Amino acid sequence: MRVKRSVVLVLAGALALTGLAACGGGAKQANTGAVLNVGMPNGPQTNNSNPFIVSSAAFSLGYRRMIYEPLVMTNAVRVTEPGKPWLATKWDWSENYHKLVLTIRDGVKFSDGQPMTAEDVAYTFQLLKDNPGLNYDALRLGGISVSGNQVTLTFDKSQFVNQVKILRTFVVPKHVWSKVANPTTDTVANPVGTGPYTLKSFTPQTVTLTVRDSYWQDLPKVKELRYTSYNDNNAQTTALGNGSCEWSFTFIPNYKAVYTSKDPEHFKLWFPAMLAVHGLWFNTERKPFDNPVLRRAMSMVVNRDDIFNQGEAGYFYPKADNVTGIPTPAGDSFIAPEYQGKTMKVDIAGAKKLLTDNGFRYQGDTLLDTTGKPVTLTLSNPSGWSDYITDLEILRDNFAKIGITATVDKANQDAWLKAVDTGNFDAVMHWTNDGATPYDLYQNIMDASLYKPVGTGGVSGNYGRFSSPEGTQALQRYAEAADDAGRAAALATVQKIMVEQQPVIATSAANAGGEYSTRNWVGWPDEQNPYGPAQPTLINALDIVLHLKPAS
């Protein structure tokens, strides 16, 4: 999965009631209609329920998860746990993850009454293979065949690092999609899936789903889902604070004052770490930041506690302080023995010594690089991304303590995206991809196959133009290893490169969180029962709704 980022806005002062009207009645009213009100701060939506298209309302608001179901229900919070059988009852890998046999569940029907079979599963994979625009995870699909209730997939390379992406594929009905002229642009006015809900109504502000009459599992207690797309984070937070929205994913800088304090008993949030990071990406082709000694020294003075507590409001992106950059506890089992328990702590004296021992020197309080020039850099992010801007201001002050002059550029978002794409920057806060292992995180940072020269756009990773043949080879060995020992050895090499060369200063873990209310519904995931991420747009959203029960 590619970690997505919504524009983060500052909530200034006391919030008045703004944006859309309450989508579920007064905050204190009983939920007599068994309705769950879901919200996202994504603005007016276009009527598009194509589940494959990133820009569709179904994707943006997350309601595709209630209509289309995956083969296996995986859990990004507990990545080492096996997934729950869903539309597939078994999945058997062989030939070092070059072959997968899926056993498809009997007795499942689409919402139009037609049975779901192995033919539908095979058709779905063929649809992805034939239409790269729908193949969001860029799966390298080879042979696809059906025998009875089993589907066999073959691949030209080991799919160990992609197995979760394959298993979480949702299934579409062949009898519907085979008649679609152009599946990459069709808006799917009447979505048909195996999930327990169907589309009832659509407006640019609110999408309503209603529960089916029958379903292969017990029907959910939630009879109607109302997805409201609020104009911005301010309006979304207001709706959470007055109880009219019961489930969302949005950044709230002062969440205690404007959200949880409004009803401490019922207004909750949970933001567990995923195997992806946010951090400061250097343009490693710009001097002097091509020097790993300088990057390491700069990492040594970063106050990650301040970034978590001030920039990320003490909850949003959890602190990532293991020296490898791997988030904990999600990634504990992947950290090499030599790095277990080793965390980054502010060490100004140590950073200065590292620099002066390696050709840097000081002129008064100013750090001079190995050629005698003052070390300066511009830290850039879009002006509306308030948490990132605060992070950059903290980093600026941290770097000043070792004589580096940094300025914060509050950029236009479109211009910034182009600059990152073409490598026209000094350093930016950015994120990595996530996955079931740290492979996706590290591949995003150092895989040479993603490298493009400065000035060339269309990048899909390695934004810092970091070149490490050793790292690229280790990533390839990890992806193709035949056993756990081989994978552990390869990943240890990648971690060593991260520690010693610091192409990215990891500061925070990505989250799979959300805000939710227990006034009307209980059964939400939390630290004590982490059966899935709490975000309403992720794969586990359906599993969450199936867990919910009326509060009284």
Side-chain angles (χ1 to χ4, degrees):
M1 169 187 157
R2 295 172 180 82
V3 175
K4 288 287 181 184
R5 181 174 181 83
S6 299
V7 175
V8 177
L9 302 174
V10 176
L11 294 171
L15 289 171
L17 295 182
T18 60
L20 300 167
C23 52
K28 297 297 184 181
Q29 292 178 355
N31 190 7
T32 56
V35 175
L36 175 64
N37 295 291
V38 189
M40 289 293 289
N42 296 347
Q45 298 291 305
T46 300
N47 193 348
N48 187 336
S49 294
N50 189 321
F52 297 105
I53 305 302
V54 176
S55 59
S56 73
F59 200 113
S60 172
L61 301 182
Y63 66 85
R64 65 183 183 135
R65 304 294 190 186
M66 306 298 162
I67 296 172
Y68 300 97
E69 296 186 288
L71 293 162
V72 180
M73 186 66 72
T74 58
N75 183 355
V77 179
R78 296 291 183 266
V79 293
T80 59
E81 294 180 357
K84 298 178 185 178
W86 216 260
L87 295 185
T89 58
K90 287 179 59 182
W91 51 100
D92 298 302
W93 291 96
S94 60
E95 301 175 20
N96 190 26
Y97 295 91
H98 283 71
K99 181 179 179 180
L100 171 64
V101 178
L102 296 157
T103 302
I104 308 306
R105 186 179 297 278
D106 293 325
V108 178
K109 290 186 178 181
F110 290 105
S111 57
D112 63 359
Q114 296 296 312
M116 187 276 298
T117 70
E119 291 287 346
D120 297 293
V121 176
Y123 174 80
T124 299
F125 282 111
Q126 191 66 49
L127 188 68
L128 297 178
K129 183 178 180 180
D130 294 342
N131 297 274
L134 305 182
N135 192 356
Y136 179 74
D137 286 316
L139 303 178
R140 296 171 58 99
L141 295 161
I144 304 168
S145 60
V146 177
S147 177
N149 69 338
Q150 292 188 325
V151 175
T152 299
L153 306 177
T154 59
F155 308 88
D156 63 350
K157 291 186 176 181
S158 171
Q159 295 300 300
F160 176 79
V161 297
N162 294 321
Q163 56 183 303
V164 168
K165 297 174 184 176
I166 295 164
L167 295 175
R168 72 186 181 198
T169 299
F170 56 80
V171 178
V172 298
K174 179 179 180 180
H175 67 276
V176 173
W177 283 78
S178 61
K179 300 174 184 176
V180 175
N182 189 344
T184 63
T185 59
D186 195 277
T187 58
V188 190
N190 181 30
V192 175
T194 61
Y197 293 94
T198 58
L199 180 62
K200 179 180 179 181
S201 63
F202 187 101
T203 72
Q205 288 77 35
T206 302
V207 180
T208 303
L209 307 185
T210 188
V211 73
R212 290 169 52 180
D213 293 332
S214 61
Y215 176 54
W216 64 271
Q217 302 188 69
D218 291 339
L219 282 170
K221 304 297 184 184
V222 177
K223 303 307 178 186
E224 187 168 283
L225 287 159
R226 295 178 190 165
Y227 289 82
T228 298
S229 192
Y230 294 90
N231 287 333
D232 52 30
N233 283 23
N234 286 12
Q236 176 64 78
T237 302
T238 297
L240 286 166
N242 66 30
S244 59
C245 180
E246 300 170 281
W247 189 15
S248 184
F249 170 72
T250 191
F251 178 62
I252 309 174
N254 46 344
Y255 74 94
K256 291 181 181 178
V258 301
Y259 174 52
T260 56
S261 66
K262 304 296 183 182
D263 187 347
E265 181 183 354
H266 298 110
F267 290 177
K268 309 294 182 181
L269 50 80
W270 183 51
F271 282 77
M274 301 169 65
L275 283 183
V277 295
H278 297 253
L280 189 71
W281 294 60
F282 295 100
N283 184 337
T284 62
E285 293 196 339
R286 281 196 178 177
K287 293 184 178 298
F289 305 103
D290 59 340
N291 189 330
V293 169
L294 177 58
R295 300 194 299 262
R296 285 168 53 199
M298 293 172 73
S299 182
M300 291 170 67
V301 300
V302 171
N303 192 320
R304 290 166 173 82
D305 288 319
D306 284 352
I307 287 176
F308 175 64
N309 289 314
Q310 298 174 32
E312 304 306 331
Y315 81 98
F316 196 67
Y317 292 139
K319 181 173 67 172
D321 62 355
N322 184 270
V323 294
T324 65
I326 295 176
T328 59
D332 281 342
S333 63
F334 297 102
I335 297 174
E338 58 267 37
Y339 301 125
Q340 287 280 349
K342 292 190 176 181
T343 57
M344 295 297 299
K345 297 178 176 62
V346 175
D347 184 2
I348 296 170
K352 287 183 175 180
K353 184 176 188 306
L354 176 64
L355 291 165
T356 54
D357 285 352
N358 287 276
F360 291 80
R361 61 189 177 89
Y362 281 91
Q363 188 176 72
D365 292 330
T366 300
L367 178 66
L368 304 181
D369 66 20
T370 56
T371 69
K373 295 179 179 178
V375 178
T376 64
L377 81 163
T378 299
L379 309 172
S380 179
N381 274 108
S383 59
W385 296 6
S386 63
D387 60 330
Y388 268 9
I389 293 297
T390 302
D391 294 345
L392 292 184
E393 291 169 345
I394 292 168
L395 291 168
R396 176 196 61 199
D397 295 344
N398 292 163
F399 298 152
K401 294 178 180 178
I402 54 171
I404 296 173
T405 300
T407 57
V408 174
D409 172 36
K410 301 177 182 180
N412 169 273
Q413 181 170 316
D414 290 339
W416 181 85
L417 290 170
K418 183 177 180 180
V420 171
D421 189 44
T422 57
N424 185 24
F425 64 91
D426 288 343
V428 298
M429 286 294 293
H430 205 286
W431 57 93
T432 68
N433 288 347
D434 81 298
T437 74
Y439 171 86
D440 295 81
L441 183 164
Y442 285 131
Q443 188 215 20
N444 214 218
I445 292 172
M446 65 179 71
D447 189 349
S449 69
L450 303 177
Y451 172 87
K452 292 192 177 183
V454 170
T456 302
V459 296
S460 58
N462 199 349
Y463 305 103
R465 273 68 178 178
F466 179 66
S467 178
S468 173
E470 184 185 10
T472 300
Q473 292 165 11
L475 286 166
Q476 185 174 352
R477 290 198 305 274
Y478 182 83
E480 298 177 358
D483 53 37
D484 289 342
R487 283 187 281 271
L491 192 60
T493 298
V494 176
Q495 292 175 55
K496 185 172 185 288
I497 293 169
M498 184 71 173
V499 170
E500 295 181 354
Q501 299 194 41
Q502 208 75 57
V504 171
I505 297 179
T507 61
S508 311
N511 72 59
E515 297 94 357
Y516 55 82
S517 169
T518 61
R519 277 182 181 174
N520 295 318
W521 300 101
V522 295
W524 302 92
D526 56 23
E527 196 65 41
Q528 289 69 46
N529 188 19
Y531 64 83
Q535 193 175 132
T537 63
L538 297 182
I539 183 175
N540 304 81
L542 173 58
D543 197 20
I544 290 173
V545 170
L546 293 174
H547 274 79
L548 296 182
K549 297 179 180 179
S552 60

